[in-house]
């Protein structure tokens, strides 16, 4: 099952980076939910990344505006994909996200964070039902110094 999820995520990010909206739309259910924010909520680019959307049309409209305002090439990568829950055809899973662009001919880190996904098993394929992205922006400190549990 995890290999199918990795395939689904790879397809999602590849077709987002290359902006192939017809393929992206085919990967999601009609009531797909998408949210994105930083962990601090105080970045200078918060207005660019923050969203809380519902419905494939609304999500695709936001994704298009966001992608067209972003650099190219841009590469989103998922790693450490693991299932957190699975029942009745609903699969919840999480991953890290790492994003790069090219600066001076070399990959340059843009962002990283956590992604929490939900996929539905349909008759013909897995379809994404929701995605929540929380981008890391707080300064790293010793874990023992955190006053709250960050997840």
């Amino acid at each position: 099952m995890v290999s199918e999820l990795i395939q689904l995520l790879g397809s999602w990010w590849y077709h987002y980076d290359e902006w192939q909206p017809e393929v992206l739309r085919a990967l999601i259910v009609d009531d797909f939910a998408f949210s994105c924010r930083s962990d601090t909520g105080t970045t200078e680019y918060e207005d660019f990344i923050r969203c809380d959307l519902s419905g494939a049309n609304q999500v695709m409209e936001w994704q298009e505006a966001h992608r067209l305002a972003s650099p190219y090439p841009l590469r989103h990568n998922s790693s450490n994909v693991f299932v957190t829950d699975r029942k009745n055809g609903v699969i919840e899973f999480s991953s890290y996200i790492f994003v790069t662009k090219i600066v001076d001919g070399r990959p340059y880190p843009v962002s990283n964070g956590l992604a929490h996904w939900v996929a539905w098993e349909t008759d013909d394929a897995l379809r994404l039902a929701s995605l929540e992205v929380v981008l890391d922006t707080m300064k790293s400190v010793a874990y023992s110094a955190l006053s709250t549990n960050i997840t």
Side-chain angles (χ1 to χ4, degrees), residues 113-131:
L114 302 171
H116 304 289
W117 307 80
V118 176
W120 293 350
E121 295 176 290
T122 66
D123 291 338
D124 60 341
L126 288 175
R127 298 280 185 256
L128 293 171
S130 72
L131 168 58

Side-chain angles (χ1 to χ4, degrees), residues 3 7 10 31 37 41 47 49 70 93 112 115 120 122-124 141:
S3 64
Q7 175 75 16
D31 58 350
R37 63 179 175 83
D47 288 343
I49 63 165
S70 298
F93 58 107
N112 64 282
W120 293 350
T122 66
D123 291 338
D124 60 341
V141 298

